[in-house]
């Protein structure tokens, strides 16, 4: 690797790609031993957050970034990091609903304090128009937490509600308001993937709870710095998007980080906008990655960055009517070497014990390498299926890589 302690004024597009991949943890081989909690912590240190999403077509989104970087691991390690003392992660609004490095909780208190500006209007409205509901919900969590919205709604259902007239949505909305303000947090997610709420001081490590609240400018500078570390090289919009920060405060933080030497202005050849390089970023001479990447992975958060760095246009199509989908419902990009070379629509059919490839598509830049790409993708699909506890990988006849992928899987299985 080339050490970037000496300032670099420009990067080629290929160098910028390698910086980005290495920053996200794709620049090193996967462990050949059992993955441990130190490996999980290493990824947390790099990417700072794992986005949470309710869709369970393959598995929950927050489990997948660790698989993409570390290979097969025990998901209980992530559960332990998020839900058991000493907690390394806590759930809050980062890029979106995310499990975030717990050390960043003080830096997100500015968002909690300004909940009336950032929260959904339904939350803002209930605390303004029905504060008695919010007060009651807060008291119930204090008295009975950890408790889910469903459990609390049931308690209210069996009470005399003649003075309240509440329904589940009011209770849930009030809970989400006090979650947004940071008064309560998620102790864990239950088997229905519902948040189970408790008072923040009963969930987070004492060292975090008692940590002084930074000024807004210090907090945002820290978040922009963590975004820069996670991205390696980035434009202003990339740095802003990582934790969904405001434009002006991000610009101010960038200038301060440049002044302190933590960010260095750099020209990425082929980009038409300014960019900055994290001061400890490295440029590997090569990146030999092989990974299926979740639609909610931090590597693909910012789609315009993905397109300008990798020439890879990617849109999630879960909200697109089925007949109008181009590639499929839950499509995973496939990273091979330093490029995205394919994409595939995946589904874990747990009832049948089958990992279904509902479509497989070859990227334009990889067309001369179709057998190589299909063979690598077959290996990765088999590894993912094994991690998910599924048996055969079955490929539907949809997509220009499907036939070759099916052939490579058959060869791999000795057929």
């Amino acid at each position: 690797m080339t050490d970037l302690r000496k300032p670099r004024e420009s990067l080629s597009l290929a160098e910028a790609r390698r910086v980005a991949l290495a920053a996200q943890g794709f620049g090193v081989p996967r462990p050949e031993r059992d993955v441990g909690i130190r490996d999980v912590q290493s990824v947390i240190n790099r990417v700072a957050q794992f986005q949470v999403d309710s869709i369970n077509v393959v598995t929950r989104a927050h489990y997948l970034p660790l698989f993409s970087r570390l290979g097969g691991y025990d998901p209980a390690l992530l559960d332990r990091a998020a839900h058991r003392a000493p907690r390394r992660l806590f759930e809050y609004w980062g890029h979106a609903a995310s499990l975030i490095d717990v050390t960043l909780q003080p830096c997100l208190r500015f968002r909690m304090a300004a909940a009336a500006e950032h929260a959904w209007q339904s939350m803002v409205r209930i605390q303004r128009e029905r504060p008695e509901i919010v007060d009651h919900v807060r008291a119930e969590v204090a008295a009975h937490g950890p408790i889910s919205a469903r459990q609390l709604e049931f308690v209210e259902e069996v009470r005399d509600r003649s003075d309240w007239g509440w329904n589940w949505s009011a209770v849930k909305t009030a809970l989400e308001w006090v979650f947004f303000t940071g008064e309560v947090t998620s102790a864990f997610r239950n088997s229905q993937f519902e948040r189970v709420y408790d008072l923040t001081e009963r969930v987070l490590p004492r060292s975090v709870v008692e940590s002084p609240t930074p000024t807004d400018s210090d907090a945002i500078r820290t978040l922009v710095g963590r975004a820069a570390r996670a991205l390696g090289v980035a434009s202003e919009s990339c740095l802003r998007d990582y934790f969904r920060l405001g434009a002006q405060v991000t610009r101010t933080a960038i200038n301060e980080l440049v002044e302190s030497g933590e960010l260095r202005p750099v020209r990425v050849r082929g980009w038409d906008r300014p960019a900055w390089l994290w001061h400890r970023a490295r440029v590997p001479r090569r990146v030999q990655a092989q990974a299926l990447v979740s639609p909610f992975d931090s590597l693909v958060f910012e789609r315009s960055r993905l397109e300008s760095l990798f020439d890879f246009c990617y849109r999630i199509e879960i909200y697109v009517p089925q007949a109008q989908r181009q590639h499929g419902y839950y499509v995973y990009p496939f990273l091979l070497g330093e490029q995205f070379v394919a994409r595939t629509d995946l589904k874990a059919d747990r009832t049948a014990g089958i990992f279904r490839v509902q479509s497989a598509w070859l990227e334009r830049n990889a067309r001369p390498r179709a057998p190589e790409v299909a063979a690598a993708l077959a290996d990765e699909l088999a590894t993912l299926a094994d991690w998910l506890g599924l048996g055969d990988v079955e490929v539907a006849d949809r997509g220009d890589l499907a036939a070759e992928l099916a052939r490579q899987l058959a060869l791999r299985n000795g057929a």
Side-chain angles (χ1 to χ4, degrees):
M1 291 188 178
T2 302
D3 195 332
L4 286 180
R5 285 176 291 187
K6 293 182 178 179
R8 293 282 296 266
E9 294 183 356
S10 68
L11 294 171
S12 70
L13 202 54
E15 287 174 324
R17 276 196 296 271
R18 294 197 291 272
V19 168
L21 290 170
Q24 281 281 307
F26 291 101
V28 293
R30 290 170 172 173
E32 295 183 357
R33 49 169 173 74
D34 288 344
V35 172
I37 195 67
R38 289 185 179 180
D39 300 301
V40 173
Q41 184 63 58
S42 178
V43 179
I44 294 169
N45 292 345
R46 283 185 181 277
V47 305
Q49 60 183 319
F50 305 120
Q51 187 171 340
V52 174
D53 190 80
S54 60
I55 297 172
N56 196 23
V57 175
V58 176
T59 192
R60 302 291 185 193
H62 55 288
Y63 291 110
L64 289 158
L66 287 169
F67 175 83
S68 297
R69 290 156 179 80
L70 301 174
Y73 76 100
D74 184 353
L77 289 170
L78 182 57
D79 294 336
R80 169 182 161 190
H83 301 140
R84 286 172 48 194
R87 293 173 191 253
R88 300 162 189 261
L89 297 160
F90 81 109
E91 188 173 347
Y92 192 60
W93 297 100
H95 178 77
S98 302
L99 292 173
I100 304 170
D101 185 342
V102 75
T103 66
L104 292 176
Q105 194 269 354
C107 295
L108 288 161
R109 291 175 193 165
F110 81 93
R111 185 168 288 165
M112 299 170 187
E117 299 173 26
H118 299 291
W120 285 276
Q121 283 304 304
S122 58
M123 298 183 210
V124 176
R125 188 164 50 250
I126 200 167
Q127 63 85 27
R128 184 177 61 238
E129 298 176 359
R130 302 299 303 276
E132 71 278 9
I133 301 179
V134 176
D135 290 343
H136 184 77
V137 163
R138 188 186 291 116
E140 288 294 296
V141 173
H144 304 293
I147 190 168
S148 70
R150 189 183 301 274
Q151 289 171 315
L152 183 51
E153 188 277 336
F154 177 77
V155 170
E156 299 305 325
E157 191 69 37
V158 299
R159 290 178 177 168
D160 177 5
R161 298 193 299 163
S162 58
D163 293 333
W164 298 96
W166 298 352
N167 55 31
W168 182 89
S169 63
V171 169
K172 172 65 173 174
T173 303
L175 274 170
E176 286 300 303
W177 168 256
V178 291
F179 174 81
F180 207 108
T181 64
E183 298 168 84
V184 307
T185 191
S186 176
F188 57 91
R189 294 267 186 162
N190 64 20
S191 58
Q192 288 77 45
F193 202 61
E194 299 166 326
R195 285 196 188 110
V196 179
Y197 304 85
D198 204 351
L199 296 180
T200 297
E201 59 264 30
R202 293 203 295 235
V203 172
L204 300 188
R206 177 177 294 181
S207 60
V208 172
V209 172
E210 296 180 352
S211 179
T213 300
T215 65
D216 289 4
S217 59
D218 286 348
I220 291 164
R221 185 169 58 251
T222 298
L223 294 173
V224 172
R226 284 300 296 268
R229 177 179 178 177
L231 297 170
V233 61
S235 68
E236 178 196 311
S237 63
C238 302
L239 294 169
R240 186 172 71 242
D241 177 75
Y242 206 78
F243 285 103
R244 300 291 171 87
L245 301 170
Q248 185 55 56
V249 294
T250 300
R251 291 187 200 108
T252 299
I254 289 171
N255 291 336
E256 292 170 349
L257 290 166
V258 168
E259 187 174 347
S260 70
E262 295 172 72
L263 280 182
R264 295 170 180 167
V266 68
R267 182 172 63 89
V268 177
R269 295 193 285 277
W271 282 16
D272 60 358
R273 57 195 181 281
W276 289 269
L277 187 69
W278 179 239
H279 70 123
R280 292 180 181 169
R282 294 178 180 271
V283 183
R285 292 188 176 90
R286 294 182 64 194
V287 171
Q288 295 178 296
Q290 179 174 302
L292 285 158
V293 177
S294 160
F296 300 102
D297 194 289
S298 52
L299 180 63
V300 301
F301 273 174
E302 221 280 337
R303 304 297 203 241
S304 62
R305 179 175 190 267
L306 191 62
E307 192 164 353
S308 63
L309 263 182
F310 294 94
D311 191 25
F312 185 70
C313 183
Y314 179 57
R315 302 290 183 271
I316 191 166
E317 297 181 88
I318 55 176
Y319 304 114
V320 176
Q322 183 173 358
Q324 298 174 26
R325 290 178 194 142
Q326 183 178 357
H327 297 107
Y329 177 74
Y330 203 67
V331 174
Y332 278 55
F334 180 52
L335 177 67
L336 185 63
E338 301 167 14
Q339 292 282 1
F340 289 101
V341 295
R343 62 186 88 197
T344 179
D345 184 17
L346 301 177
K347 178 181 175 62
D349 185 342
R350 297 172 182 86
T351 302
I354 293 170
F355 197 28
R356 300 195 183 279
V357 179
Q358 304 191 114
S359 69
W361 308 86
L362 190 66
E363 292 302 300
R364 181 180 62 251
N365 64 358
R367 283 174 186 160
R369 304 163 53 201
E372 174 197 349
V373 169
L377 179 54
D379 285 343
E380 194 66 13
L381 287 166
T383 302
L384 180 53
D386 182 66
W387 180 65
L388 294 169
L390 300 171
D392 293 340
V393 180
E394 292 191 0
V395 183
D397 185 20
R398 181 168 184 249
D400 57 6
L401 190 60
E404 182 62 27
L405 178 60
R407 189 178 77 86
Q408 292 292 341
L409 281 165
L411 289 173
R412 192 180 186 283
N413 293 331

